[in-house]
Amino acid sequence: MNKENKLELIQKFEDLSSAFDDVPGLPAALLRYRPFPDAWSIVEQVVHCVDLDVASFHRYRWGITYPGTRVLSFDKTWVEKLQYEASDIGVCINIIKVIRTFMASHFRTIVDEDWSKYHYKLGEEREFNLEEALQLYVDHVDFHRKLIDRNIEMFRGSGAAGAGSE
């Protein structure tokens, strides 16, 4: 990946810090709506993205400081045990913005370096260098934004929106 490609990816990564700006204005019933039993609500989607951004912040920094370090992972149990639904959505969005702004700023200071030498191990089999990790961070928010849009569309089509919802 050349410098120009890195800068474009960094900008996209940073721009996605606004991916959830519309969420605080959504009705409470929509924020907690599950289109089917095993689907996550919008609140859960956003809080999960906070968790991943916080984890990603630590992961990439370990990968730069100590390449090849094995980093911790998390799974869907976090949604249940950490009571995502009780989270303040505005605070969550602010955390995403601050972390992504900080990370993007740092990425720009190392844009001329070979990012393939910075890598970390996730679990037993997965390893990411900084180029791959940054693309994953971009794709992750895109994926969850699509799920949020799906929830909004299904909520509006379900009749729940007109049934006394906020």
Side-chain angles (χ1 to χ4, degrees):
M1 183 178 287
N2 65 33
K3 181 177 181 174
E4 184 177 304
N5 296 134
K6 289 177 188 175
L7 288 170
E8 287 174 13
L9 189 58
I10 293 166
Q11 190 60 53
K12 186 169 185 184
F13 168 80
E14 189 172 21
D15 289 347
L16 283 167
S17 67
S18 342
F20 309 122
D21 284 356
D22 63 319
V23 170
L26 297 174
L30 172 53
L31 291 174
R32 287 168 173 65
Y33 173 73
R34 296 173 188 274
F36 34 89
D38 63 344
W40 285 359
S41 70
I42 292 173
V43 171
E44 291 166 333
Q45 303 283 347
V46 172
V47 178
H48 168 73
C49 286
V50 170
D51 276 343
L52 188 73
D53 275 9
V54 170
S56 298
F57 173 81
H58 288 282
R59 290 171 181 170
Y60 98 86
R61 293 174 78 81
W62 277 100
I64 289 173
T65 308
Y66 301 105
T69 299
R70 188 172 316 282
V71 296
L72 296 175
S73 186
F74 56 92
D75 60 25
K76 65 181 181 176
T77 304
W78 282 48
V79 175
E80 301 158 9
K81 299 287 185 180
L82 296 177
Q83 302 170 346
Y84 277 17
E85 286 290 336
S87 298
D88 181 316
I89 202 76
V91 169
C92 292
I93 292 168
N94 286 335
I95 291 169
I96 290 170
K97 288 178 180 299
V98 168
I99 287 177
R100 285 186 173 244
T101 299
F102 183 86
M103 288 171 69
S105 176
H106 181 239
F107 293 148
R108 288 184 184 101
T109 69
I110 60 171
V111 75
D112 290 320
E113 297 182 33
D114 175 9
W115 284 6
S116 66
K117 69 182 180 181
Y118 301 133
H119 56 97
Y120 59 84
K121 295 177 182 174
L122 186 60
E124 294 298 317
E125 301 173 11
R126 298 176 70 190
E127 187 165 340
F128 297 96
N129 66 43
L130 186 54
E131 292 175 7
E132 296 164 333
L134 187 54
Q135 185 63 58
L136 178 72
Y137 306 158
V138 166
D139 294 344
H140 185 259
V141 168
D142 276 341
F143 173 77
H144 285 282
R145 182 64 227 199
K146 287 177 182 155
L147 292 176
I148 288 170
D149 291 340
R150 175 211 60 197
N151 282 18
I152 292 170
E153 185 176 319
M154 292 181 78
F155 178 82
R156 290 183 176 147
S158 72
S165 300
E166 300 176 346

